[in-house]
Amino acid sequence: MALCRPGFESECANELISHLARTGINGRSTLSLESGQLRIALDNLHPFDALDRAIRLVSLTFARQLSFGFAEVHGLDGKDRVSPLMAAARLAGTPFSAILPEAADGAVGRPLAAICRRLQAPLERGFDRHSLVRPRRGHLPRLNILLAAPGSAWLGLSSADNGSPWPMGIPRLRMPSQAPSRSTLKLAEALLTLLTPAELEASMRAGQRAVDLGAAPGGWSWQLAHRGLHVTAVDNGPMAAQVMATGMIEHVRADGFTWRPRATVDWLVCDMVEQPARISRLVADWVACGRARRAIFNLKLPMKKRLAEIDVCRGLIRKRMHQASLGCELRIRQLYHDREEVTAYLEARPSS
Ligand SMILES: C[S@@+](CC[C@H](N)C(=O)[O-])C[C@H]1O[C@@H](n2cnc3c(N)ncnc32)[C@H](O)[C@@H]1O
């Protein structure tokens, strides 16, 4: 079972099916367009551990949340949804480390999301009473309860390290009052989603140097400055006064495709509106040449063949890194704050 941005169900399903097929697991998708949710029916039964190893959320672009279904419940009554859900959950034969009532994003799921929020506490109490939830036992699977309609739910398992920590895969981030554009939340979410907390702590520190290509009005630069990084913001457009007031930002009016730093920077971020392949070549070149140690960049997707376009970008980046005798860590995700776009993380690794 997967949740994604409404309108991207086909991309999400095709990506999941091809990832599974690479590990010898075959299945077909059942999806309704614009629903923001989908299910892949597998041809054979597979144990949870095998599926959990075969498919990793971090390597997928379009799935926001992922779980492996084991039961469906229909005829749920608004007066007591907890008892039938708990009876079905027992089919998993294990206690859970967490209970996540979830609904899809968009028009279909929105009213169900309100029910999910109301269900959270009663579910936790009910499961706890029967020793079916053990929050401190992180190795146990989480129970994802996807409310498909007010009266029906799909139950699935996910491991804590292979699923979004946020219900529905949506981080609820507060818009910082000093940031000039909502786009600031995209970089905030990217840092939380594309890196683990340990990776982020190890790789982003106050005092580092960053370059922001296509920086204006400064939402991404503000995120970096707020974390204590010195930012060179490259854009011919104007930067917002409150961003420049942080004192951490130098604004350079130049073309982001030709401007180069004098020395290696710790981070490159790039949000220029351009062909995804052109951005991919540019960012890969920065990392391959050692101009930046790591990069976060946004790729604006075409209306059609979006999955194919992402594959082209992956190929271009890997090829450029290979030419420099380097491997790479490349993660491409469609964030909650992304629209017709995806956000990527690139870091050079020794060639294997
Ligand atoms: C989507 S906006 C960036 C928003 C920004 N990340 C923020 O959070 O405020 C894209 C920016 O890219 C800039 N841009 C587009 N092409 C560029 C280029 N070749 N060189 C520098 N900046 C460019 C535009 O001027 C525009 O300000």
Side-chain angles (χ1 to χ4, degrees), residues 180-186 212-222 234-238 254-258 270-274 278 300:
S181 61
R182 282 199 69 74
S183 152
T184 198
L185 297 177
K186 213 180 293 175
D212 183 355
L213 299 178
W220 286 31
S221 290
W222 184 87
V234 181
D235 202 308
N236 278 312
D255 181 356
F257 284 95
T258 53
C270 174
D271 192 21
M272 292 189 287
V273 182
E274 248 296 343
R278 192 167 180 220
K300 321 289 172 192

Side-chain angles (χ1 to χ4, degrees), residues 199-279:
E199 286 172 335
L200 183 59
E201 199 186 322
S203 61
M204 185 170 276
R205 285 182 302 279
Q208 288 181 330
R209 304 219 148 259
V211 169
D212 183 355
L213 299 178
W220 286 31
S221 290
W222 184 87
Q223 282 292 337
L224 298 169
H226 179 64
R227 289 168 168 78
L229 279 77
H230 301 277
V231 185
T232 306
V234 181
D235 202 308
N236 278 312
M239 294 291 282
Q242 72 265 35
V243 177
M244 298 309 293
T246 58
M248 302 295 283
I249 294 167
E250 180 198 2
H251 181 193
V252 177
R253 290 182 187 273
D255 181 356
F257 284 95
T258 53
W259 186 87
R260 301 283 179 262
R262 268 187 232 106
T264 299
V265 296
D266 300 288
W267 284 90
L268 167 68
V269 298
C270 174
D271 192 21
M272 292 189 287
V273 182
E274 248 296 343
Q275 297 286 333
R278 192 167 180 220
I279 299 288

Side-chain angles (χ1 to χ4, degrees), residues 22-284:
R22 267 182 242 147
T23 65
I25 298 173
N26 296 309
R28 288 155 291 113
S29 71
T30 53
L31 57 89
S32 48
L33 298 176
E34 302 294 331
S35 67
Q37 62 191 21
L38 59 107
R39 292 200 280 182
I40 310 286
L42 302 181
D43 292 351
N44 297 299
L45 284 177
H46 297 271
F48 167 64
D49 289 351
L51 289 169
D52 190 45
R53 273 195 307 275
I55 191 142
R56 307 296 293 171
L57 187 64
V58 71
S59 64
L60 299 169
T61 298
F62 291 100
R64 279 182 194 162
Q65 185 65 291
L66 184 67
S67 63
F68 302 103
F70 65 91
E72 287 183 35
V73 188
H74 298 285
L76 286 171
D77 176 352
K79 287 199 205 88
D80 177 21
R81 290 189 176 90
V82 174
S83 308
L85 286 172
M86 200 152 56
R90 283 183 191 278
L91 292 173
T94 172
F96 310 101
S97 58
I99 318 285
L100 285 94
E102 300 180 302
D105 193 8
V108 179
R110 220 162 281 133
L112 301 173
I115 300 179
C116 289
R117 280 193 292 278
R118 286 201 301 276
L119 262 178
Q120 182 78 52
L123 278 169
E124 278 172 0
R125 276 197 302 276
F127 276 65
D128 184 46
R129 215 173 297 126
H130 292 84
S131 305
L132 281 171
V133 61
R134 312 220 179 121
R136 266 178 244 108
R137 308 275 289 275
H139 66 282
L140 291 173
R142 312 182 307 171
L143 174 67
N144 297 74
I145 301 176
L146 179 56
L147 220 55
S152 46
W154 309 338
L155 270 54
L157 301 178
S158 62
S159 56
D161 70 350
N162 193 21
S164 172
W166 306 291
M168 304 162 221
I170 300 178
R172 302 283 169 194
L173 303 176
R174 216 158 15 100
M175 175 69 195
S177 57
Q178 313 96 310
S181 61
R182 282 199 69 74
S183 152
T184 198
L185 297 177
K186 213 180 293 175
L187 184 58
E189 183 183 357
L191 293 170
L192 292 173
T193 306
L194 294 169
L195 292 110
T196 64
E199 286 172 335
L200 183 59
E201 199 186 322
S203 61
M204 185 170 276
R205 285 182 302 279
Q208 288 181 330
R209 304 219 148 259
V211 169
D212 183 355
L213 299 178
W220 286 31
S221 290
W222 184 87
Q223 282 292 337
L224 298 169
H226 179 64
R227 289 168 168 78
L229 279 77
H230 301 277
V231 185
T232 306
V234 181
D235 202 308
N236 278 312
M239 294 291 282
Q242 72 265 35
V243 177
M244 298 309 293
T246 58
M248 302 295 283
I249 294 167
E250 180 198 2
H251 181 193
V252 177
R253 290 182 187 273
D255 181 356
F257 284 95
T258 53
W259 186 87
R260 301 283 179 262
R262 268 187 232 106
T264 299
V265 296
D266 300 288
W267 284 90
L268 167 68
V269 298
C270 174
D271 192 21
M272 292 189 287
V273 182
E274 248 296 343
Q275 297 286 333
R278 192 167 180 220
I279 299 288
S280 298
R281 271 193 218 98
L282 176 75
V283 172

